[in-house]
Amino acid sequence: MRRRAFIKLIGGTLALPLREARAQQAMPLIGFLSTRSPAEAASDLAAFRQGLGQTGYFEGKNVAIEYRWAEGRYDRLPAFAAELVARQVAVIAAVGGEPSGLAAKAATATIPIVCTLGGDAVAAGLVAHLNRPGGNITGVTIMGLEMGPKRVELAHELVPNGSALVTLINSKFPLTLAEARDMQAAAHSLGLQLTVLDASTEGEIDAVFAGLARQKVDALLINTDPFLFGQREQIVQLAARYKIPTLYFLREFVDAGGLMSYGPNIRNGYRQAGIYVGRILKGEKAGELPVVQPTKFDLVINLRTARTLDLEIPTSLLVRADEVIE
């Protein structure tokens, strides 16, 4: 009897990992393809998981996530997207801007894709229509690219007597040159000169700021780009070191000590992406889910930073600010 009990016990012990393995295999698998890095994007990933949770999906409980992080290296994305397709994921969350969405689109025409974008999904070539995308792609845009001219106007208000503006771009980001052209047109209409400078590595960002320190710059604008967003600590510190009034496209720059930002809440975008992924897992089609656009853009001003720059913020900006950090 003892021998039979022992064999039964061993059999049960071996069966437990097998049951757990089968349970894991039964979970839907999400592919998470990001231009960013896990540490820098932690709060936005939490928002994505929150959105999933709102649809009843929780990582490790009833859904699994396979992560691929490009860490600012957009050239890694095509291979990462191919890996996720080979893993036969149920849906791909292609987040962190257009490069991840374009890589996912090139890798599959059948697996549903949910993107988070900086600009217009139609202009990027990802979907045919915003209201009814068609195909296998939908997503969320922060409309950062469209807000470039507005940030030029805000820069003019910030330094009304200044005429020399500079915008920092990463030319490896799709559509950034179009954003820069729109911003130059807006500057020209205000009688301002806008110079475009390019940086796609940490070293190049350092070099740009060192060069700006040797010339007259009234204000600097940071263009929409996941890599530049990921380097926000570096950029904010350099702007403080060289005392350059700088405007940003998301408030996270201001939270890190930057002067002023105008843009939407990016965490809401990631949360909505999580909701869309959950809805697709429940059976809805990506091509029938409209691309979500923000309806609110916040002006955030850091007065502590303004004081370190010996800069007086005009009352016209302060009264319109959605948040003023004292």
Side-chain angles (χ1 to χ4, degrees), residues 30 32 44-58 63 65 91-95 114-116 138-140 266-282 289 292:
I30 298 168
F32 191 90
D44 296 325
L45 176 57
F48 174 81
R49 288 170 173 153
Q50 181 188 22
L52 270 179
Q54 287 179 236
T55 63
Y57 288 100
F58 301 91
V63 72
I65 304 178
V91 58
I92 297 175
V95 302
V114 177
C115 305
T116 64
T138 187
V140 184
I266 190 173
R267 293 178 190 174
N268 284 344
Y270 272 77
R271 183 181 59 81
Q272 180 61 53
I275 291 172
Y276 264 10
V277 168
R279 289 174 63 178
I280 289 169
L281 290 176
K282 287 180 179 292
L289 296 173
V292 178

Side-chain angles (χ1 to χ4, degrees), residues 136-160:
N136 63 320
I137 302 176
T138 187
V140 184
T141 176
I142 66 169
M143 291 182 65
L145 298 171
E146 288 84 352
M147 294 299 107
K150 178 63 177 180
R151 291 194 297 275
V152 172
E153 295 175 11
L154 292 170
H156 185 45
E157 275 192 74
L158 180 67
V159 285

Side-chain angles (χ1 to χ4, degrees), residues 168 199 201-214 220 222 227-228 231-246 248 253 256-259 305 308-309:
L168 178 63
T201 67
E202 292 183 36
E204 289 175 356
I205 292 173
D206 284 334
V208 164
F209 274 92
L212 292 176
R214 296 190 294 269
L220 171 66
I222 306 300
F227 167 72
L228 296 177
Q231 298 301 124
R232 57 189 176 274
E233 297 281 349
Q234 177 193 12
I235 292 171
V236 165
Q237 290 171 12
L238 288 168
R241 180 190 307 171
Y242 295 113
K243 290 188 175 297
I244 301 173
T246 306
Y248 306 96
F253 286 94
L259 176 63
T305 301
T308 66
L309 297 172

Side-chain angles (χ1 to χ4, degrees), residues 25 35 37 41 46 98 125 157 161 250 253 281 310 316 319:
Q25 289 174 356
T35 59
S37 62
E98 281 77 354
E157 275 192 74
N161 297 321
L250 289 172
F253 286 94
L281 290 176
D310 299 320
S316 61
V319 297

Side-chain angles (χ1 to χ4, degrees), residues 178-195:
E179 179 187 19
R181 286 194 295 269
D182 290 345
M183 292 170 68
Q184 284 182 314
H188 180 74
S189 69
L190 295 170
L192 307 174
Q193 178 183 352
L194 179 68
T195 301

